[in-house]
Amino acid sequence: MLEGLVSQESLSLNSMDMSVLERLKWVQQQQQQLQQVVYQSSNNSHELLQILQFHGSNNDDLLQSSFSPFQMLGSGFGPNYNIGFGPPHEAMDECISRTSSCHMEPVDTIEVLLKTGEENRAIALKNKRNPEVKTRGEEKTEKKIKVEAETESSMKGKSNMRNTEASSDTSKETSKKASEIQKLDYIHVRARRGQATDRHSLAERARREKISKKMKYLQDIVPGCNKVTGKAGMLDEIINYVQCLQRQVEFLSMKLAVLNPELELAVEDVSVKQFQAYFTNVVASKQSIMVDVPLFPLDQQGSLDLSAINPNQTTSIEAPSASWETQSQSLYNTSSLGFQY
Amino acid sequence: MVESLFPSIENTSESSPESRRKKPRISEMAEIESRRINEESLKRWKTNRVQQIYASKLVEALRRVRQRSSTSTETDKVVSGAAREIRETADRVLAASARGTTRWSRAILASRVRAKLKKHRKAKKSTGNCKSRKGVTETNRIKLPAVERKLKILGRLVPGCRKVSVPNLLDEATDYIAALEMQVRAMEALAELLTAAAPRTTLTGT
């Protein structure tokens, strides 16, 4: 039955004897049918995706109300389709060449038939529009492109609907193929069922997903964030945590300021390894603020690393402070100058 | 710059991110940066080497602070001043450990230079500007949605991230929190060490 439909159309268009009036009537019929199809299925079926993919090549001239959802998705894919699938009619207008090239990936059963139908129509158009090919932006050409695209879409819409009614597997196949092909060229966002597929909402969705992914990282690192849901609550927790950490640093710096005079004396007695040991002890006895903090493992390489830093010194920090100072000074000079990347 | 001082240490642990950082172009760096921050920031501030480096640098810095402060006369107020100095030193050391890959670390290191420059400028001018700016914002204040308000607050907390986009701000916050955690741990350990060692000296002193 599908073939019948397509062949009928191809036949009807093939014959150049068909009068213009008849053709226009047929086109209007298709238009009406298309509108019905669109408004029924625009928001509810994800087969729309396929329609969009077949339409991937809409021109910017095709700005119409019924086409705006298609074209948003399509305009992104347009040039890519052109590159990917060498259009057979290169001498023709871009739109038509693209529309014909779009048909390269549909299901096998429809493919051949659609192609023939399309080619026939394309040829018909070509003969009609040869004198007008060069003039872009003319309303006539626009209308014809509109009409042609509409008819394509209506036909495809019908065929798609029937196809999906018949077997959902093939439609999934096409969508898979199309999405694969999409991935080759463009954004890797797949519209889900029942969600808007215009360009802006896709970009918006990608942005939102990025942000939510980052919030998840933050959720992992900030304790207590799991219990709160929603961005506002999580942000509250995060802000609270950062303020808490900063206050801790202040407090500890005050403590160290008091203890600082003993620093030199203490440092002579204590080596780096002991410092590391204290790290682990402190961490182990920490309160609930530091949850899930991994311990600083004792590492034998610690002393080696330090010796690498201060080649003049031995493992302990008993070396003369002069070399230490110069090295640290040089370090600070470089660091305060900023990093040149 | 800092890399040249620690070639052997850092190469093994962070060689892949460094190579990734140097090779791609500037346009891709942002994406790679954010990805790296997300994947590694939780781990990189917990690695042994980072902690050791931070610890050693902190000790050095505190020594210098102490030597500088020892020249001046000691009073009660100096404690708070010294505390501020130590905090700033610790922050700088932390930022230096970040190797300039994050915005907040660069801001911390740059703020020191900026503070020095500001001392030469007249204080009145700056306060006057601040006031006028505040007045304008007060009159034009519109209640932003809660989330955006909180994002602004977060931006003010993380140094150098006031006018940063939302995803970058979240990245910076992640890295900053991880770094702060490490800083707190290091300073606590140091304080414990000193308090453990201190009684000996105080006992001998008294």
Side-chain angles (χ1 to χ4, degrees):
Chain A
M1 77 192 154
L2 177 66
E3 293 133 1
L5 167 74
V6 176
S7 57
Q8 198 180 34
E9 290 173 344
S10 64
L11 280 175
S12 64
L13 287 172
N14 203 3
S15 55
M16 293 304 299
D17 305 338
M18 193 169 88
S19 69
V20 179
L21 277 173
E22 283 181 37
R23 204 182 298 157
L24 278 175
K25 271 189 201 167
W26 178 82
V27 155
Q28 279 169 12
Q29 277 177 24
Q30 297 300 315
Q31 224 172 346
Q32 288 167 9
Q33 284 170 5
L34 163 71
Q35 280 181 357
Q36 284 176 17
V37 164
V38 165
Y39 293 127
Q40 278 170 18
S41 68
S42 61
N43 291 329
N44 292 330
S45 108
H46 93 110
E47 288 85 29
L48 191 68
L49 250 189
Q50 300 164 48
I51 300 173
L52 295 172
Q53 287 143 17
F54 292 136
H55 272 287
S57 57
N58 282 334
N59 213 345
D60 281 343
D61 303 336
L62 291 178
L63 286 170
Q64 325 159 41
S65 55
S66 62
F67 259 93
S68 50
F70 298 147
Q71 150 196 332
M72 289 298 182
L73 191 60
S75 55
F77 302 143
N80 300 325
Y81 272 89
N82 220 353
I83 297 164
F85 312 97
H89 319 278
E90 285 171 21
M92 295 174 49
D93 204 74
E94 265 185 14
C95 175
I96 292 170
S97 64
R98 271 187 265 142
T99 50
S100 60
S101 65
C102 263
H103 286 274
M104 295 302 178
E105 67 276 34
V107 184
D108 295 333
T109 54
I110 315 174
E111 186 176 0
V112 176
L113 303 160
L114 279 178
K115 216 175 176 179
T116 53
E118 179 51 24
E119 277 175 11
N120 289 330
R121 234 184 298 130
I123 292 164
L125 252 186
K126 186 182 184 181
N127 293 337
K128 231 189 171 186
R129 295 177 59 254
N130 247 334
E132 305 167 353
V133 160
K134 294 300 176 184
T135 60
R136 279 179 125 218
E138 272 190 15
E139 285 189 13
K140 274 190 185 175
T141 56
E142 283 179 18
K143 278 185 191 165
K144 275 167 195 159
I145 296 167
K146 275 189 213 174
V147 159
E148 284 310 309
E150 276 178 356
T151 55
E152 285 166 20
S153 71
S154 67
M155 201 179 67
K156 273 173 250 146
K158 266 198 206 163
S159 62
N160 279 334
M161 296 303 278
R162 302 208 180 175
N163 196 24
T164 49
E165 282 168 14
S167 62
S168 56
D169 295 336
T170 48
S171 65
K172 278 177 192 166
E173 224 183 281
T174 54
S175 54
K176 264 188 215 168
K177 275 190 207 171
S179 61
E180 279 170 25
I181 294 158
Q182 285 173 34
K183 277 172 191 169
L184 287 174
D185 295 327
Y186 218 66
I187 319 167
H188 316 301
V189 179
R190 171 89 188 262
R192 282 181 233 125
R193 193 193 177 92
Q195 292 189 350
T197 50
D198 54 318
R199 194 179 178 79
H200 293 297
S201 44
L202 276 177
E204 183 70 27
R205 202 178 316 132
R207 173 185 158 268
R208 260 182 278 144
E209 278 172 11
K210 240 197 286 178
I211 289 180
S212 64
K213 209 188 350 167
K214 295 190 174 148
M215 294 286 277
K216 274 202 197 129
Y217 277 112
L218 273 169
Q219 204 176 21
D220 292 335
I221 200 170
V222 174
C225 233
N226 311 324
K227 297 161 190 171
V228 201
T229 49
K231 267 199 261 181
M234 274 171 56
L235 280 173
D236 266 334
E237 287 292 319
I238 291 165
I239 289 170
N240 203 8
Y241 190 57
V242 170
Q243 281 173 336
C244 186
L245 285 173
Q246 283 176 342
R247 261 181 275 143
Q248 267 189 314
V249 169
E250 285 256 13
F251 175 70
L252 284 169
S253 67
M254 210 177 341
K255 202 170 171 186
L256 281 176
V258 170
L259 293 171
N260 222 0
E262 289 114 22
L263 181 62
E264 186 166 13
L265 303 167
V267 157
E268 283 172 9
D269 300 336
V270 177
S271 67
V272 179
K273 281 187 193 172
Q274 275 189 320
F275 197 18
Q276 308 302 320
Y278 267 100
F279 265 109
T280 57
N281 292 342
V282 166
V283 167
S285 61
K286 208 51 202 111
Q287 318 100 325
S288 60
I289 294 173
M290 301 291 187
V291 182
D292 299 335
V293 159
L295 306 177
F296 283 37
L298 279 175
D299 198 0
Q300 288 304 312
Q301 290 176 359
S303 54
L304 293 172
D305 286 344
L306 206 56
S307 59
I309 299 169
N310 304 316
N312 304 335
Q313 298 184 356
T314 54
T315 52
S316 62
I317 318 178
E318 299 159 5
S321 54
S323 59
W324 195 286
E325 290 297 316
T326 52
Q327 192 129 33
S328 62
Q329 262 177 16
S330 62
L331 170 72
Y332 268 85
N333 286 338
T334 53
S335 59
S336 60
L337 284 174
F339 295 90
Q340 298 160 16
Y341 275 82
Chain B
M1 314 299 294
V2 184
E3 296 165 34
S4 58
L5 290 174
F6 310 119
S8 55
I9 301 161
E10 289 305 312
N11 274 349
T12 47
S13 64
E14 299 184 6
S15 56
S16 46
E18 277 181 5
S19 59
R20 248 190 286 152
R21 240 183 285 141
K22 283 171 191 168
K23 279 173 191 172
R25 300 191 184 262
I26 299 170
S27 56
E28 301 169 359
M29 269 193 69
E31 197 192 303
I32 290 168
E33 180 90 8
S34 66
R35 220 187 304 144
R36 191 181 53 77
I37 285 179
N38 277 335
E39 291 165 2
E40 297 184 13
S41 74
L42 305 182
K43 297 174 199 166
R44 80 169 184 162
W45 287 109
K46 290 178 181 170
T47 59
N48 212 22
R49 286 213 168 92
V50 178
Q51 292 158 358
Q52 285 159 17
I53 289 167
Y54 181 72
S56 54
K57 282 193 204 171
L58 188 60
V59 169
E60 296 167 30
L62 289 177
R63 275 168 146 244
R64 291 171 70 227
V65 167
R66 185 183 37 75
Q67 285 192 358
R68 225 184 294 139
S69 63
S70 64
T71 55
S72 60
T73 55
E74 300 259 347
T75 59
D76 285 331
K77 286 186 183 176
V78 172
V79 176
S80 56
R84 188 174 38 86
E85 235 183 293
I86 284 178
R87 182 175 56 81
E88 286 172 5
T89 311
D91 285 339
R92 268 206 316 278
V93 174
L94 190 68
S97 312
R99 317 293 295 277
T101 53
T102 51
R103 184 178 277 267
W104 59 264
S105 58
R106 290 193 289 262
I108 289 178
L109 293 173
S111 66
R112 192 189 182 199
V113 180
R114 244 183 270 142
K116 281 186 181 172
L117 290 173
K118 267 189 182 173
K119 279 179 189 171
H120 298 298
R121 291 181 197 162
K122 290 184 182 177
K124 288 179 188 175
K125 254 192 185 178
S126 57
T127 49
N129 287 341
C130 284
K131 278 183 187 169
S132 63
R133 232 180 288 140
K134 271 185 188 169
V136 166
T137 51
E138 287 285 339
T139 51
N140 298 351
R141 199 204 306 173
I142 305 166
K143 271 274 181 175
L144 295 169
V147 176
E148 291 191 20
R149 248 185 298 143
K150 290 177 183 147
L151 284 171
K152 272 207 168 174
I153 295 173
L154 189 61
R156 265 186 277 146
L157 281 178
V158 182
C161 291
R162 287 181 192 229
K163 294 186 182 175
V164 166
S165 61
V166 175
N168 288 335
L169 177 61
L170 295 177
D171 279 334
E172 293 287 327
T174 312
D175 201 58
Y176 187 57
I177 288 175
L180 274 181
E181 280 184 5
M182 194 207 78
Q183 187 182 27
V184 166
R185 261 178 277 152
M187 288 172 76
E188 276 193 17
L190 187 59
E192 282 278 337
L193 210 61
L194 290 180
T195 48
R200 236 182 300 152
T201 54
T202 49
L203 278 171
T204 55
T206 55

PDB file of all heavy atoms in Angstrom, chain B residues 69-96:
ATOM      1  N   SER B  69      58.400  39.311  60.993  1.00  0.00           N
ATOM      2  CA  SER B  69      57.681  39.917  62.113  1.00  0.00           C
ATOM      3  C   SER B  69      58.576  40.056  63.345  1.00  0.00           C
ATOM      4  O   SER B  69      58.324  40.870  64.215  1.00  0.00           O
ATOM      5  CB  SER B  69      56.451  39.080  62.467  1.00  0.00           C
ATOM      6  OG  SER B  69      56.860  37.793  62.903  1.00  0.00           O
ATOM      7  N   SER B  70      59.590  39.257  63.389  1.00  0.00           N
ATOM      8  CA  SER B  70      60.443  39.317  64.576  1.00  0.00           C
ATOM      9  C   SER B  70      61.196  40.633  64.639  1.00  0.00           C
ATOM     10  O   SER B  70      61.611  41.068  65.710  1.00  0.00           O
ATOM     11  CB  SER B  70      61.425  38.147  64.584  1.00  0.00           C
ATOM     12  OG  SER B  70      62.297  38.260  63.476  1.00  0.00           O
ATOM     13  N   THR B  71      61.380  41.242  63.514  1.00  0.00           N
ATOM     14  CA  THR B  71      62.081  42.524  63.535  1.00  0.00           C
ATOM     15  C   THR B  71      61.234  43.601  64.188  1.00  0.00           C
ATOM     16  O   THR B  71      61.752  44.492  64.863  1.00  0.00           O
ATOM     17  CB  THR B  71      62.431  42.964  62.102  1.00  0.00           C
ATOM     18  OG1 THR B  71      61.226  42.972  61.320  1.00  0.00           O
ATOM     19  CG2 THR B  71      63.418  42.001  61.463  1.00  0.00           C
ATOM     20  N   SER B  72      59.905  43.532  63.970  1.00  0.00           N
ATOM     21  CA  SER B  72      59.037  44.553  64.561  1.00  0.00           C
ATOM     22  C   SER B  72      58.725  44.205  66.010  1.00  0.00           C
ATOM     23  O   SER B  72      58.878  43.080  66.447  1.00  0.00           O
ATOM     24  CB  SER B  72      57.743  44.670  63.772  1.00  0.00           C
ATOM     25  OG  SER B  72      57.070  43.423  63.784  1.00  0.00           O
ATOM     26  N   THR B  73      58.238  45.196  66.755  1.00  0.00           N
ATOM     27  CA  THR B  73      57.921  44.973  68.165  1.00  0.00           C
ATOM     28  C   THR B  73      56.637  44.165  68.304  1.00  0.00           C
ATOM     29  O   THR B  73      55.691  44.337  67.541  1.00  0.00           O
ATOM     30  CB  THR B  73      57.753  46.310  68.894  1.00  0.00           C
ATOM     31  OG1 THR B  73      56.759  47.064  68.191  1.00  0.00           O
ATOM     32  CG2 THR B  73      59.058  47.079  68.912  1.00  0.00           C
ATOM     33  N   GLU B  74      56.627  43.322  69.296  1.00  0.00           N
ATOM     34  CA  GLU B  74      55.480  42.428  69.475  1.00  0.00           C
ATOM     35  C   GLU B  74      54.490  43.026  70.455  1.00  0.00           C
ATOM     36  O   GLU B  74      54.847  43.395  71.556  1.00  0.00           O
ATOM     37  CB  GLU B  74      55.962  41.080  70.005  1.00  0.00           C
ATOM     38  CG  GLU B  74      56.946  40.373  69.088  1.00  0.00           C
ATOM     39  CD  GLU B  74      56.258  39.282  68.295  1.00  0.00           C
ATOM     40  OE1 GLU B  74      55.126  38.944  68.649  1.00  0.00           O
ATOM     41  OE2 GLU B  74      56.864  38.785  67.343  1.00  0.00           O
ATOM     42  N   THR B  75      53.239  43.138  70.036  1.00  0.00           N
ATOM     43  CA  THR B  75      52.180  43.555  70.953  1.00  0.00           C
ATOM     44  C   THR B  75      51.011  42.584  70.816  1.00  0.00           C
ATOM     45  O   THR B  75      51.048  41.661  70.025  1.00  0.00           O
ATOM     46  CB  THR B  75      51.693  44.983  70.615  1.00  0.00           C
ATOM     47  OG1 THR B  75      51.217  44.973  69.264  1.00  0.00           O
ATOM     48  CG2 THR B  75      52.812  45.989  70.759  1.00  0.00           C
ATOM     49  N   ASP B  76      49.980  42.864  71.589  1.00  0.00           N
ATOM     50  CA  ASP B  76      48.824  41.964  71.527  1.00  0.00           C
ATOM     51  C   ASP B  76      48.140  42.032  70.183  1.00  0.00           C
ATOM     52  O   ASP B  76      47.605  41.051  69.686  1.00  0.00           O
ATOM     53  CB  ASP B  76      47.816  42.325  72.628  1.00  0.00           C
ATOM     54  CG  ASP B  76      48.310  41.855  73.982  1.00  0.00           C
ATOM     55  OD1 ASP B  76      49.044  40.857  74.005  1.00  0.00           O
ATOM     56  OD2 ASP B  76      47.965  42.486  74.984  1.00  0.00           O
ATOM     57  N   LYS B  77      48.139  43.223  69.633  1.00  0.00           N
ATOM     58  CA  LYS B  77      47.432  43.361  68.362  1.00  0.00           C
ATOM     59  C   LYS B  77      48.133  42.641  67.237  1.00  0.00           C
ATOM     60  O   LYS B  77      47.552  42.361  66.211  1.00  0.00           O
ATOM     61  CB  LYS B  77      47.315  44.853  68.002  1.00  0.00           C
ATOM     62  CG  LYS B  77      46.296  45.578  68.833  1.00  0.00           C
ATOM     63  CD  LYS B  77      46.124  47.017  68.344  1.00  0.00           C
ATOM     64  CE  LYS B  77      45.153  47.760  69.250  1.00  0.00           C
ATOM     65  NZ  LYS B  77      45.030  49.166  68.885  1.00  0.00           N
ATOM     66  N   VAL B  78      49.390  42.397  67.463  1.00  0.00           N
ATOM     67  CA  VAL B  78      50.144  41.765  66.379  1.00  0.00           C
ATOM     68  C   VAL B  78      49.604  40.381  66.079  1.00  0.00           C
ATOM     69  O   VAL B  78      49.729  39.885  64.980  1.00  0.00           O
ATOM     70  CB  VAL B  78      51.639  41.700  66.746  1.00  0.00           C
ATOM     71  CG1 VAL B  78      52.405  40.875  65.745  1.00  0.00           C
ATOM     72  CG2 VAL B  78      52.212  43.107  66.798  1.00  0.00           C
ATOM     73  N   VAL B  79      48.982  39.788  67.071  1.00  0.00           N
ATOM     74  CA  VAL B  79      48.501  38.419  66.847  1.00  0.00           C
ATOM     75  C   VAL B  79      47.506  38.395  65.696  1.00  0.00           C
ATOM     76  O   VAL B  79      47.595  37.577  64.787  1.00  0.00           O
ATOM     77  CB  VAL B  79      47.858  37.861  68.126  1.00  0.00           C
ATOM     78  CG1 VAL B  79      47.288  36.486  67.867  1.00  0.00           C
ATOM     79  CG2 VAL B  79      48.898  37.809  69.227  1.00  0.00           C
ATOM     80  N   SER B  80      46.544  39.341  65.756  1.00  0.00           N
ATOM     81  CA  SER B  80      45.556  39.348  64.676  1.00  0.00           C
ATOM     82  C   SER B  80      46.224  39.707  63.352  1.00  0.00           C
ATOM     83  O   SER B  80      45.905  39.129  62.311  1.00  0.00           O
ATOM     84  CB  SER B  80      44.435  40.330  65.002  1.00  0.00           C
ATOM     85  OG  SER B  80      44.993  41.603  65.237  1.00  0.00           O
ATOM     86  N   GLY B  81      47.155  40.668  63.431  1.00  0.00           N
ATOM     87  CA  GLY B  81      47.856  41.024  62.207  1.00  0.00           C
ATOM     88  C   GLY B  81      48.670  39.867  61.677  1.00  0.00           C
ATOM     89  O   GLY B  81      48.683  39.588  60.470  1.00  0.00           O
ATOM     90  N   ALA B  82      49.312  39.187  62.621  1.00  0.00           N
ATOM     91  CA  ALA B  82      50.101  38.031  62.207  1.00  0.00           C
ATOM     92  C   ALA B  82      49.194  36.935  61.667  1.00  0.00           C
ATOM     93  O   ALA B  82      49.545  36.240  60.712  1.00  0.00           O
ATOM     94  CB  ALA B  82      50.918  37.516  63.391  1.00  0.00           C
ATOM     95  N   ALA B  83      48.036  36.816  62.286  1.00  0.00           N
ATOM     96  CA  ALA B  83      47.099  35.793  61.808  1.00  0.00           C
ATOM     97  C   ALA B  83      46.695  36.076  60.371  1.00  0.00           C
ATOM     98  O   ALA B  83      46.642  35.174  59.532  1.00  0.00           O
ATOM     99  CB  ALA B  83      45.874  35.743  62.716  1.00  0.00           C
ATOM    100  N   ARG B  84      46.421  37.367  60.127  1.00  0.00           N
ATOM    101  CA  ARG B  84      46.024  37.710  58.762  1.00  0.00           C
ATOM    102  C   ARG B  84      47.149  37.413  57.794  1.00  0.00           C
ATOM    103  O   ARG B  84      46.970  36.871  56.703  1.00  0.00           O
ATOM    104  CB  ARG B  84      45.653  39.188  58.710  1.00  0.00           C
ATOM    105  CG  ARG B  84      45.052  39.613  57.388  1.00  0.00           C
ATOM    106  CD  ARG B  84      44.553  41.045  57.429  1.00  0.00           C
ATOM    107  NE  ARG B  84      45.412  41.941  58.190  1.00  0.00           N
ATOM    108  CZ  ARG B  84      46.468  42.577  57.705  1.00  0.00           C
ATOM    109  NH1 ARG B  84      46.796  42.422  56.453  1.00  0.00           N
ATOM    110  NH2 ARG B  84      47.201  43.355  58.474  1.00  0.00           N
ATOM    111  N   GLU B  85      48.370  37.750  58.255  1.00  0.00           N
ATOM    112  CA  GLU B  85      49.512  37.512  57.374  1.00  0.00           C
ATOM    113  C   GLU B  85      49.691  36.034  57.089  1.00  0.00           C
ATOM    114  O   GLU B  85      49.965  35.623  55.956  1.00  0.00           O
ATOM    115  CB  GLU B  85      50.775  38.044  58.060  1.00  0.00           C
ATOM    116  CG  GLU B  85      51.544  39.039  57.231  1.00  0.00           C
ATOM    117  CD  GLU B  85      52.799  39.464  57.941  1.00  0.00           C
ATOM    118  OE1 GLU B  85      52.673  40.119  58.986  1.00  0.00           O
ATOM    119  OE2 GLU B  85      53.878  39.091  57.468  1.00  0.00           O
ATOM    120  N   ILE B  86      49.519  35.275  58.147  1.00  0.00           N
ATOM    121  CA  ILE B  86      49.705  33.838  57.969  1.00  0.00           C
ATOM    122  C   ILE B  86      48.626  33.279  57.048  1.00  0.00           C
ATOM    123  O   ILE B  86      48.892  32.433  56.191  1.00  0.00           O
ATOM    124  CB  ILE B  86      49.688  33.133  59.336  1.00  0.00           C
ATOM    125  CG1 ILE B  86      51.018  33.390  60.041  1.00  0.00           C
ATOM    126  CG2 ILE B  86      49.446  31.647  59.179  1.00  0.00           C
ATOM    127  CD1 ILE B  86      51.103  32.804  61.389  1.00  0.00           C
ATOM    128  N   ARG B  87      47.409  33.784  57.226  1.00  0.00           N
ATOM    129  CA  ARG B  87      46.348  33.281  56.362  1.00  0.00           C
ATOM    130  C   ARG B  87      46.648  33.616  54.910  1.00  0.00           C
ATOM    131  O   ARG B  87      46.480  32.813  54.003  1.00  0.00           O
ATOM    132  CB  ARG B  87      45.013  33.875  56.787  1.00  0.00           C
ATOM    133  CG  ARG B  87      43.857  33.348  55.956  1.00  0.00           C
ATOM    134  CD  ARG B  87      42.544  33.855  56.481  1.00  0.00           C
ATOM    135  NE  ARG B  87      42.479  35.302  56.553  1.00  0.00           N
ATOM    136  CZ  ARG B  87      42.212  36.089  55.523  1.00  0.00           C
ATOM    137  NH1 ARG B  87      41.985  35.568  54.341  1.00  0.00           N
ATOM    138  NH2 ARG B  87      42.183  37.392  55.668  1.00  0.00           N
ATOM    139  N   GLU B  88      47.095  34.861  54.723  1.00  0.00           N
ATOM    140  CA  GLU B  88      47.387  35.245  53.342  1.00  0.00           C
ATOM    141  C   GLU B  88      48.548  34.442  52.786  1.00  0.00           C
ATOM    142  O   GLU B  88      48.538  34.050  51.610  1.00  0.00           O
ATOM    143  CB  GLU B  88      47.683  36.742  53.274  1.00  0.00           C
ATOM    144  CG  GLU B  88      46.418  37.572  53.419  1.00  0.00           C
ATOM    145  CD  GLU B  88      46.729  39.048  53.535  1.00  0.00           C
ATOM    146  OE1 GLU B  88      47.911  39.403  53.411  1.00  0.00           O
ATOM    147  OE2 GLU B  88      45.788  39.811  53.767  1.00  0.00           O
ATOM    148  N   THR B  89      49.516  34.203  53.634  1.00  0.00           N
ATOM    149  CA  THR B  89      50.636  33.392  53.178  1.00  0.00           C
ATOM    150  C   THR B  89      50.174  32.000  52.806  1.00  0.00           C
ATOM    151  O   THR B  89      50.566  31.452  51.772  1.00  0.00           O
ATOM    152  CB  THR B  89      51.688  33.300  54.290  1.00  0.00           C
ATOM    153  OG1 THR B  89      51.951  34.610  54.779  1.00  0.00           O
ATOM    154  CG2 THR B  89      52.958  32.689  53.778  1.00  0.00           C
ATOM    155  N   ALA B  90      49.363  31.449  53.675  1.00  0.00           N
ATOM    156  CA  ALA B  90      48.872  30.098  53.400  1.00  0.00           C
ATOM    157  C   ALA B  90      48.073  30.059  52.098  1.00  0.00           C
ATOM    158  O   ALA B  90      48.189  29.119  51.300  1.00  0.00           O
ATOM    159  CB  ALA B  90      48.022  29.606  54.566  1.00  0.00           C
ATOM    160  N   ASP B  91      47.260  31.102  51.906  1.00  0.00           N
ATOM    161  CA  ASP B  91      46.485  31.151  50.663  1.00  0.00           C
ATOM    162  C   ASP B  91      47.393  31.239  49.456  1.00  0.00           C
ATOM    163  O   ASP B  91      47.146  30.616  48.423  1.00  0.00           O
ATOM    164  CB  ASP B  91      45.538  32.352  50.681  1.00  0.00           C
ATOM    165  CG  ASP B  91      44.346  32.110  51.590  1.00  0.00           C
ATOM    166  OD1 ASP B  91      44.059  30.929  51.857  1.00  0.00           O
ATOM    167  OD2 ASP B  91      43.721  33.103  52.027  1.00  0.00           O
ATOM    168  N   ARG B  92      48.420  32.026  49.591  1.00  0.00           N
ATOM    169  CA  ARG B  92      49.339  32.174  48.464  1.00  0.00           C
ATOM    170  C   ARG B  92      50.032  30.866  48.164  1.00  0.00           C
ATOM    171  O   ARG B  92      50.206  30.485  47.003  1.00  0.00           O
ATOM    172  CB  ARG B  92      50.389  33.241  48.782  1.00  0.00           C
ATOM    173  CG  ARG B  92      50.005  34.617  48.316  1.00  0.00           C
ATOM    174  CD  ARG B  92      51.216  35.447  48.056  1.00  0.00           C
ATOM    175  NE  ARG B  92      52.219  35.304  49.092  1.00  0.00           N
ATOM    176  CZ  ARG B  92      52.210  35.956  50.247  1.00  0.00           C
ATOM    177  NH1 ARG B  92      51.255  36.813  50.495  1.00  0.00           N
ATOM    178  NH2 ARG B  92      53.169  35.771  51.132  1.00  0.00           N
ATOM    179  N   VAL B  93      50.426  30.201  49.230  1.00  0.00           N
ATOM    180  CA  VAL B  93      51.087  28.911  49.023  1.00  0.00           C
ATOM    181  C   VAL B  93      50.132  27.940  48.359  1.00  0.00           C
ATOM    182  O   VAL B  93      50.502  27.181  47.459  1.00  0.00           O
ATOM    183  CB  VAL B  93      51.580  28.360  50.378  1.00  0.00           C
ATOM    184  CG1 VAL B  93      52.140  26.977  50.213  1.00  0.00           C
ATOM    185  CG2 VAL B  93      52.632  29.284  50.949  1.00  0.00           C
ATOM    186  N   LEU B  94      48.898  27.981  48.800  1.00  0.00           N
ATOM    187  CA  LEU B  94      47.890  27.111  48.189  1.00  0.00           C
ATOM    188  C   LEU B  94      47.728  27.424  46.722  1.00  0.00           C
ATOM    189  O   LEU B  94      47.664  26.536  45.868  1.00  0.00           O
ATOM    190  CB  LEU B  94      46.574  27.300  48.933  1.00  0.00           C
ATOM    191  CG  LEU B  94      45.467  26.321  48.595  1.00  0.00           C
ATOM    192  CD1 LEU B  94      45.817  24.947  49.082  1.00  0.00           C
ATOM    193  CD2 LEU B  94      44.164  26.784  49.202  1.00  0.00           C
ATOM    194  N   ALA B  95      47.652  28.717  46.432  1.00  0.00           N
ATOM    195  CA  ALA B  95      47.479  29.113  45.037  1.00  0.00           C
ATOM    196  C   ALA B  95      48.694  28.711  44.210  1.00  0.00           C
ATOM    197  O   ALA B  95      48.562  28.306  43.055  1.00  0.00           O
ATOM    198  CB  ALA B  95      47.251  30.619  44.955  1.00  0.00           C
ATOM    199  N   ALA B  96      49.852  28.806  44.806  1.00  0.00           N
ATOM    200  CA  ALA B  96      51.052  28.407  44.088  1.00  0.00           C
ATOM    201  C   ALA B  96      51.025  26.913  43.810  1.00  0.00           C
ATOM    202  O   ALA B  96      51.474  26.461  42.756  1.00  0.00           O
ATOM    203  CB  ALA B  96      52.294  28.786  44.889  1.00  0.00           C
TER     204      ALA B  96
END
